[in-house]
């Protein structure tokens, strides 16, 4: 689930990875027999590449790929990628094949179809609403995706069934149902059980609660979701859904301090559990900074922030030497240098700010705020450039705020 959310937040990453494939060659590879290709993996790479194209020919190619024979593994994966790519194209011509995909006997394809229908966000016919409602009968991951589609499209056609799911034993289902009831039916009281879930010991439950509160449309939930120990980009996505739904990088005055706190991402501002805290041991801190659970990551960062500066620098230098190219560790180190005001390592802030690969976008957010903390006025020109060119709203807004504070 997490990987899907990250793909939505940073979809541009795939355009960079596959930019070497031309549209013409991608179209040819997309519909080729996998047995005729020296590297069949190229088929689904081509589908992802065509998501970034704009021609009608590439759109029709992706639509045709939805009919690939799923008996072949490479075709099946390509079909999933094509369905996903059609969501990024946001063209209503794809709706017919996407609704057909809702009936596939392949859960990832159905989930991708529900997501893509949501991204296209076109008015649906009664029969299409009925098809989407039928897709609620699948597995829990599929059910959650389809509930989210109903929520984000504002479809009341699923109300009677979705309302029965608010007490489902799976919190990923009940949470999505509660978000639906809040946003579509206006029943905001259903969101209360999601607040303690934001601090659940299980990372997946915390992440789903953050997503559900973003979907709920209830601005009153902003103060709670920003303190959950899950990744900053995930919290930012939900928070900006609530404060800046039109994605103009414009945050109402009354929410600026809250969004600033979120994006500065100081672990001291999060609701931490004792289970996540690290001992002040360099090896444990380094291991936990790489942990899959963000609670452990933030616990390690918190421990490092409490150390004397000399120890902080020693640990940062050691982790940098081994893990600087890892974009998760890169982000945490960049953030810590700014939060701890470590002028001795300000060059790393500048390095992160200048990084253009999309997977390092969150490091650029941390670097922008680090420039403010360390008074790096020599970075003003780059901050201005990012503030106008970045497609990721949290990064663009961060640079705008930092520039405002410098002025």
């Amino acid at each position: 689930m997490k990987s899907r959310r990250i793909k939505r937040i940073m979809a541009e990453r795939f355009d960079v990875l596959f930019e070497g494939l031309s549209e013409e060659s991608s179209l040819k590879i997309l519909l080729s027999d996998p047995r005729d290709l020296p590297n069949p993996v190229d088929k689904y790479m081509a589908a992802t590449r065509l998501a970034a194209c704009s021609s009608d020919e590439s759109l029709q190619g992706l639509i045709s790929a939805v009919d690939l024979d799923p008996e072949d593994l490479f075709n099946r994966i390509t079909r999933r990628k094509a369905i996903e790519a059609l969501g990024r194209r946001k063209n209503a011509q794809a709706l017919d094949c996407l609704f057909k995909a809702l009936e596939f006997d392949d859960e990832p394809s159905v989930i991708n179809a529900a997501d893509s229908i949501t991204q296209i966000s076109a008015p649906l016919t009664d029969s299409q609403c009925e098809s989407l409602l039928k897709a609620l009968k699948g597995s829990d991951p599929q059910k959650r995706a389809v509930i989210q589609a109903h929520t984000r499209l504002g479809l009341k056609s699923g109300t009677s069934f979705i309302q029965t799911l608010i007490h489902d034993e799976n919190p990923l289902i009940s949470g999505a149902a509660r978000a639906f009831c809040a946003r579509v039916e206006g029943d905001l009281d259903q969101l209360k059980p999601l607040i303690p879930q934001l601090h659940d010991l299980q990372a997946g439950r915390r992440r789903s609660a953050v997503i559900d509160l973003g979907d709920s449309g209830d601005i009153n939930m902003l103060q709670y979701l920003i303190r959950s120990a899950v990744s900053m980009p995930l919290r930012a996505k939900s928070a900006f859904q609530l404060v800046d739904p039109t994605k103009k990088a414009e945050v109402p005055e009354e929410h600026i301090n809250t969004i600033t706190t979120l994006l500065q991402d100081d672990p001291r501002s999060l609701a931490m559990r004792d289970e996540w805290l690290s001992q002040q041991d360099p090896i444990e801190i380094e291991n936990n900074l790489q942990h899959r659970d963000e609670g452990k990551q933030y616990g390690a960062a918190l421990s490092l922030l409490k150390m004397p500066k000399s120890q902080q620098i020693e640990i940062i230098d050691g982790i940098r030497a081994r893990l600087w190219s890892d974009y998760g560790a890169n982000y945490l180190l960049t953030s810590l240098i700014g939060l701890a005001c470590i002028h001795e390592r300000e060059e790393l802030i500048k390095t992160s700010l200048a990084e253009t690969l999309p997977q390092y976008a969150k490091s650029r957010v941390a670097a922008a705020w680090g420039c403010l903390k360390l008074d790096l006025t020599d970075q003003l020109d780059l901050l201005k450039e990012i503030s106008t060119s970045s497609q990721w709203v949290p990064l663009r807004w961060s640079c705008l705020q930092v520039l405002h504070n410098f002025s």
Side-chain angles (χ1 to χ4, degrees):
M1 185 187 308
K2 183 180 178 183
S3 63
R4 286 174 46 235
R5 297 185 202 109
I6 292 173
K7 282 187 285 186
R8 280 208 213 66
I9 295 169
M10 299 175 66
E12 300 92 343
R13 176 182 179 187
F14 294 95
D15 302 339
V16 172
L17 291 175
F18 302 134
E19 62 184 359
L21 283 169
S22 70
E23 179 177 334
E24 183 180 5
S25 62
S26 295
L27 277 168
K28 183 177 180 180
I29 292 169
L30 181 69
L31 301 177
S32 297
D33 189 321
R35 294 169 296 184
D36 296 335
L37 297 173
N39 184 6
V41 170
D42 288 346
K43 278 182 67 73
Y44 49 87
M45 290 177 67
T48 302
R49 172 66 181 87
L50 293 172
C53 298
S54 57
S55 69
D56 186 65
E57 186 179 12
S58 60
L59 177 69
Q60 297 306 320
L62 288 169
I63 290 173
S64 297
V66 177
D67 288 325
L68 287 170
D69 183 359
E71 292 302 312
D72 180 276
L73 174 63
F74 294 104
N75 276 342
R76 187 160 68 250
I77 297 174
T78 301
R79 189 174 72 168
R80 294 171 186 171
K81 293 292 186 181
I83 292 169
E84 181 181 61
L86 287 168
R88 290 187 59 197
R89 295 294 295 264
K90 294 182 172 61
N91 191 310
Q93 291 183 58
L95 283 177
D96 285 346
C97 75
L98 292 174
F99 275 96
K100 179 171 61 177
L102 286 178
E103 300 179 7
F104 287 171
D105 185 21
D106 177 44
E107 180 187 287
S109 290
V110 177
I111 290 173
N112 286 353
D115 287 345
S116 290
I117 289 166
T118 303
Q119 289 184 70
I120 292 172
S121 194
L124 303 183
T125 65
D126 289 344
S127 62
Q128 288 173 333
C129 288
E130 182 63 26
S131 294
L132 198 59
L133 185 60
K134 288 179 181 177
L136 279 168
K137 304 295 185 180
S139 66
D140 280 359
Q142 177 175 315
K143 193 176 295 181
R144 177 172 170 81
V146 176
I147 294 171
Q148 289 174 327
H150 279 82
T151 303
R152 295 165 186 174
L153 293 173
L155 300 178
K156 290 182 174 289
S157 50
T159 299
S160 59
F161 182 71
I162 295 174
Q163 283 178 331
T164 68
L165 300 175
I166 61 172
H167 298 297
D168 193 277
E169 61 181 15
N170 185 341
L172 276 67
I173 300 301
S174 63
R178 290 178 184 280
F180 172 87
C181 289
R183 183 165 171 175
V184 180
E185 295 299 317
D187 188 359
L188 301 183
D189 286 341
Q190 295 296 342
L191 299 177
K192 292 178 181 178
L194 292 178
I195 297 174
Q197 190 179 319
L198 290 167
H199 314 299
D200 196 278
L201 190 58
Q202 293 187 29
R205 293 184 178 185
R206 297 197 304 276
R207 295 168 192 147
S208 67
V210 166
I211 292 169
D212 295 335
L213 290 178
D215 283 345
S216 76
D218 184 3
I219 192 64
N220 294 311
M221 295 295 107
L222 180 65
Q223 60 181 314
Y224 303 110
L225 73 84
I226 69 162
R227 300 186 68 238
S228 183
V230 302
S231 70
M232 179 275 288
L234 185 60
R235 281 179 285 137
K237 182 177 187 296
S238 286
F240 275 90
Q241 276 182 255
L242 297 175
V243 301
D244 183 28
T246 58
K247 299 182 180 181
K248 294 182 178 178
E250 297 174 357
V251 175
E253 184 71 29
E254 63 267 30
H255 301 305
I256 286 178
N257 288 340
T258 304
I259 298 299
T260 298
T261 297
L262 186 163
L263 295 175
Q264 289 182 340
D265 205 18
D266 190 330
R268 293 168 291 199
S269 69
L270 300 178
M272 300 293 292
R273 297 179 65 118
D274 290 342
E275 296 93 333
W276 300 330
L277 301 178
S278 297
Q279 300 297 317
Q280 291 198 345
D281 172 70
I283 295 176
E284 183 178 353
I285 287 174
E286 180 172 334
N287 288 338
N288 284 343
L289 284 175
Q290 301 173 74
H291 204 283
R292 293 181 65 183
D293 186 333
E294 301 97 320
K296 286 284 189 179
Q297 295 173 16
Y298 284 119
L302 185 59
S303 294
L304 194 146
L305 284 171
K306 293 178 179 179
M307 290 180 168
K309 181 172 287 188
S310 59
Q311 285 183 271
Q312 292 175 339
I313 292 174
E314 182 179 355
I315 292 174
I316 285 172
D317 285 349
I319 297 174
R320 176 198 177 194
R322 291 182 290 276
L323 300 171
W324 185 248
S325 61
D326 177 274
Y327 55 87
N330 185 294
Y331 167 71
L332 289 167
L333 293 186
T334 303
S335 178
L336 288 166
I337 292 166
L339 292 170
C341 292
I342 303 176
H343 286 274
E344 294 87 342
R345 296 296 178 267
E346 65 182 36
E347 284 304 315
L348 297 184
I349 295 286
K350 298 177 183 180
T351 298
S352 289
L353 190 66
E355 180 57 75
T356 57
L357 288 176
Q359 57 265 45
Y360 291 99
K362 62 181 179 180
S363 291
R364 302 185 92 185
V365 171
W369 294 107
C371 287
L372 184 62
K373 284 274 190 177
L374 300 174
D375 197 29
L376 303 181
T377 54
D378 60 337
Q379 300 299 296
L380 287 176
D381 286 345
L382 181 53
L383 287 165
K384 290 176 183 176
E385 190 276 325
I386 298 170
S387 73
T388 59
S389 65
S390 175
Q391 298 299 306
W392 192 37
V393 171
L395 176 55
R396 191 160 80 245
W397 190 84
S398 292
C399 290
L400 288 169
Q401 287 301 114
V402 169
L403 289 167
H404 175 75
N405 279 279
F406 269 127
S407 63

